[in-house]
Amino acid sequence: MSPDTHRATAAAILPLVGGPDNVTSIAHCMTRLRIGLRDRALVQEEALKAVPAVLGVVDDDTYQIVLGPGAVARVTPEFEALVREAPPAPPASPALAAHPAHPAPPAPPATAEALRARGTALKEARTARNSTPVKLLLRRIANIFVPLIPALIGCGIIAGLNGLLTNSGLLPAVVPALAAIASGFMSLIAVFVGYNTAKEFGGTPVLGGAVAAIIVFPGVAKIEAFGQHLAPGQGGVLGALGAALLAVYVEKWCRTWVPQAVDNLVTPTLTVLLPGLVTLFGLMYLAGEVAEGIGWFADRLLATGGAFAGLVLGGLFLPLVMLGLHQALIPIHTTLIEHSGYTVLLPILAMAGAGQVGAAIAVYYRLPRNRSLRTTIKSALPAGFLGVGEPLIYGVSLPLGRPFVTACVGGAVGGAFVGLFNQLGAGFGSTAIGPSGWALFPLLDGPTGLGTAIAVYAGGLSVGYAAGFAATWFFGFTPQMLRDLDTDPDPDPSPATAPPSPEPARA
């Protein structure tokens, strides 16, 4: 897509979310434009879904517009520029008329029954995700790690390329350079985590980064804690998270009690010194033990209970996403990547997306007369194959109810397949987090070799597709659902309006 196309997409979205005066914050993750809004009643949701580049919307703590990987990173700067450039003006509904290329359709792409079911299901899902303290904390932790995902992906792909060159003996002079490029970010990831933690929790970001930098400083090897010498990087991202969080609380205490005349000298000093000492003589060791425990548990989980563990993880991941609890896995994935070079959990969890795709294909063929729903599925399937599941979840399976459950069954069977091979010794994982589906292939790695990892992962996807399809085909619809849904909500009016035959009827 050209820059003009990205700007046009941003220009189409802006009036549909209430205009620039209704926007309080703008951010994006791998697939979604996340907007803070003053008044959500101003959002024209059905018109927003009709914008060609919009794959779906999610109403959560922020209003999230699904644009897909790549596109979101290009549309967001254009959207930010439009908000900055817009003159102050009250949002008005006629703004939509400025973009006649994206008119709002009179009806959403589903039957009336499916639309009501979708509205009810989404409302219940939003209610279930209300801002409880635990979920708010998980979202804040996710906000720390999500900005790091592009670097993890880029470095992970470079590490995979470097592994291929090393194993094949090609370009030996380039291998050390690629190793340095791939490893540089990971060697300093603790600093970035510290910076983002302080920023997220209301501290000075650079002070959070300064405290976290202690963890990766080579000189910590000379320091002894709990009867043993520390190692640079010990505690990793978990230690950095804890150290920066402690720094935030120390800084806030100082801002309250330190006299204003010496605040600029005393507060930064104490903010780095006190958490730094706690980090060196306690937190690094404790966080290191926790990180080792997470790595050991993940390895043992799949080595001893592989198939069952994969079945549970693959089957429950979609419900975790619906409840927002999947965000708790982000620091675990990152810790595993630090510990082993890859996370063994992500390929199993990616099977949930395979079950979702299989279920959507079954819905497509089970409802041959519902042209609008089939159109929705056809447009969302390419993104689904690449691991972007929101359009299928919110536009197809979740509103229909039973197909969401059968999609989880497909994910469980695919997860069991991958888990079984882990138990048999063919373990592998992903060197980065974020991508899923077919987009995960370039990031696969493991001790048994890239070929085995690709074969097992491809087999898992195939099994997930097939299981999701079969479960949905046989159990995804009741007879009444088929009667209600297998109709065309927007029939072609041409037969009804055809002129009558001039010839009289013959007896």
Side-chain angles (χ1 to χ4, degrees):
M1 298 175 73
S2 67
D4 288 344
T5 304
H6 300 311
R7 190 168 183 85
T9 299
I13 291 172
L14 183 56
L16 301 180
V17 295
D21 288 349
N22 197 37
V23 176
T24 59
S25 64
I26 303 169
H28 74 88
C29 60
M30 288 294 297
T31 59
R32 304 178 185 184
L33 171 62
R34 297 170 179 259
I35 307 172
L37 299 174
R38 288 190 175 88
D39 184 0
R40 299 199 181 194
L42 298 177
V43 175
Q44 303 174 48
E45 191 162 291
E46 293 304 325
L48 191 58
K49 292 176 182 177
V51 175
V54 173
L55 303 177
V57 298
V58 181
D59 191 353
D60 208 332
D61 56 324
T62 56
Y63 196 80
Q64 302 169 18
I65 301 171
V66 184
L67 298 172
V72 69
R74 292 165 172 80
V75 172
T76 300
E78 300 292 347
F79 188 84
E80 290 174 329
L82 288 173
V83 171
R84 287 194 307 268
E85 296 165 5
S93 56
L96 179 59
H99 305 285
H102 306 296
T111 64
E113 292 82 3
L115 175 60
R116 285 194 292 270
R118 176 165 64 185
T120 301
L122 292 179
K123 184 176 180 180
E124 291 173 353
R126 287 195 295 270
T127 301
R129 293 196 307 266
N130 274 340
S131 299
T132 63
V134 172
K135 290 174 184 175
L136 281 174
L137 177 62
L138 292 178
R139 287 170 188 156
R140 300 190 81 172
I141 291 175
N143 290 341
I144 294 167
F145 288 91
V146 166
L148 307 180
I149 290 177
L152 284 169
I153 293 172
C155 294
I157 292 176
I158 294 170
L161 175 61
N162 193 51
L164 288 174
L165 294 178
T166 301
N167 294 334
S168 63
L170 299 174
L171 303 176
V174 178
V175 168
L178 291 180
I181 294 170
S183 303
F185 172 75
M186 288 305 301
S187 67
L188 295 174
I189 189 172
V191 179
F192 294 99
V193 169
Y195 184 96
N196 287 349
T197 300
K199 181 180 179 181
E200 177 65 25
F201 285 90
T204 302
V206 72
L207 293 179
V211 174
I214 297 169
I215 292 174
V216 297
F217 177 58
V220 299
K222 301 176 182 179
I223 300 171
E224 186 174 311
F226 295 93
Q228 57 184 265
H229 285 279
L230 297 175
Q234 186 173 343
V237 296
L238 298 181
L241 180 65
L245 193 57
L246 179 59
V248 169
Y249 284 107
V250 171
E251 181 183 2
K252 289 182 177 180
W253 182 90
C254 290
R255 300 293 184 195
T256 302
W257 296 104
V258 172
Q260 187 173 348
V262 293
D263 179 69
N264 286 341
L265 297 175
V266 174
T267 297
T269 303
L270 293 180
T271 300
V272 175
L273 177 62
L274 298 180
L277 291 173
V278 173
T279 300
L280 288 170
F281 294 105
L283 197 54
M284 283 184 66
Y285 175 82
L286 295 176
E289 292 299 303
V290 172
E292 289 287 334
I294 290 174
W296 176 87
F297 178 76
D299 291 339
R300 294 296 298 168
L301 177 68
L302 296 178
T304 57
F308 179 74
L311 183 141
V312 172
L313 291 171
L316 292 182
F317 188 63
L318 284 180
L320 287 178
V321 172
M322 294 300 98
L323 295 174
L325 299 177
H326 66 296
Q327 295 165 338
L329 297 173
I330 296 177
I332 295 175
H333 286 312
T334 310
T335 299
L336 290 173
I337 292 171
E338 271 194 318
H339 180 265
S340 307
Y342 53 84
T343 168
V344 294
L345 300 179
L346 189 56
I348 294 176
L349 299 176
M351 296 302 111
Q356 177 68 56
V357 167
I361 295 174
V363 171
Y364 181 88
Y365 286 106
R366 282 293 258 164
L367 304 177
R369 298 182 182 88
N370 194 323
R371 291 188 301 170
S372 54
L373 187 57
R374 285 162 62 92
T375 299
T376 299
I377 294 172
K378 285 172 65 176
S379 64
L381 270 178
F385 280 115
L386 292 175
V388 182
E390 290 95 335
L392 290 176
I393 292 173
Y394 291 104
V396 182
S397 66
L398 185 61
L400 295 176
R402 289 171 69 104
F404 180 77
V405 177
T406 53
C408 294
V409 172
V413 176
F417 179 91
V418 177
L420 175 62
F421 277 88
N422 272 272
Q423 190 173 3
L424 295 175
F428 66 98
S430 170
T431 58
I433 57 177
S436 185
W438 294 357
L440 200 63
F441 278 111
L443 297 169
L444 297 177
D445 192 15
T448 56
L450 182 60
T452 301
I454 289 176
V456 174
Y457 183 68
L461 288 177
S462 301
V463 169
Y465 296 150
F469 180 92
T472 305
W473 183 272
F474 292 109
F475 306 107
F477 297 92
T478 63
Q480 183 62 44
M481 288 176 65
L482 287 175
R483 286 192 292 271
D484 291 341
L485 295 170
D486 194 19
T487 58
D488 189 354
D490 187 23
D492 186 356
S494 56
T497 58
S501 171
E503 294 187 9
R506 292 187 172 91

